[in-house]
């Protein structure tokens, strides 16, 4: 028996239900299973909105961390740092970040295979 699929959407965004009692603001970083998303709009409690799961974003970087171009990174305690097993995968750094930088440019959820290396 052959398996079939039915096209739904491009997959750059997902519907995200706000199960909290606080508004999620546009641009807020969300954890979605083992990856991250970025809220595309404000999402009121109990409502559904968009979560971007592709794209390149400036994300807050862990203080004093240096991140190399192409390094897999994770999202932990509200900031990005070098990937470690068991952490929420954020993506691949698309620019080097110095220890003094507050942010790092990340292609979110890209390079999922790299995190297993």
């Amino acid at each position: 028996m052959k398996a079939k699929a039915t096209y739904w959407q491009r997959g750059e965004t997902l519907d995200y239900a706000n199960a909290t009692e606080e508004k999620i603001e546009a641009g807020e970083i969300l954890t979605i299973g083992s990856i991250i998303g970025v809220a595309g709009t404000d999402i009121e409690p109990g409502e559904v909105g968009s979560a971007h799961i592709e794209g390149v974003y400036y994300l807050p970087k862990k203080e004093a961390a240096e991140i190399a171009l192409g390094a897999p990174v994770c999202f932990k305690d509200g900031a990005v740092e070098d990937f470690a097993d068991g952490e929420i995968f954020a993506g691949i750094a698309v620019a080097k970040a110095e220890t003094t930088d507050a942010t790092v440019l990340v292609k979110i959820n890209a390079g999922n295979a790299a995190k297993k290396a």
Side-chain angles (χ1 to χ4, degrees):
M1 179 174 179
K2 294 182 181 180
K4 286 188 160 189
T6 303
Y7 179 81
W8 175 253
Q9 64 183 14
R10 289 178 54 142
E12 296 159 348
T13 62
L14 299 176
D15 290 339
Y16 186 85
N18 182 354
T20 73
E21 296 190 15
E22 294 183 20
K23 177 172 76 172
I24 295 171
E25 295 183 6
E28 190 171 328
I29 301 169
L30 310 166
T31 56
I32 305 170
S34 62
I35 62 171
I36 66 166
V38 177
T41 60
D42 290 348
I43 309 170
E44 296 294 333
E47 298 293 321
V48 175
S50 64
H52 297 274
I53 59 167
E54 290 186 8
V56 179
Y57 292 85
Y58 282 102
L59 300 179
K61 182 185 68 66
K62 182 179 178 181
E63 192 174 311
E66 182 176 310
I67 298 177
L69 169 66
V73 293
C74 65
F75 184 68
K76 180 179 178 185
D77 300 327
V80 170
E81 59 184 74
D82 285 322
F83 181 77
D85 284 337
E87 300 299 342
I88 302 296
F89 183 69
I92 299 294
V94 295
K96 180 179 179 179
E98 302 292 340
T99 57
T100 55
D101 293 333
T103 61
V104 59
L105 202 52
V106 174
K107 183 169 183 177
I108 64 171
N109 303 318
N112 225 339
K115 74 177 188 173
K116 300 193 185 300

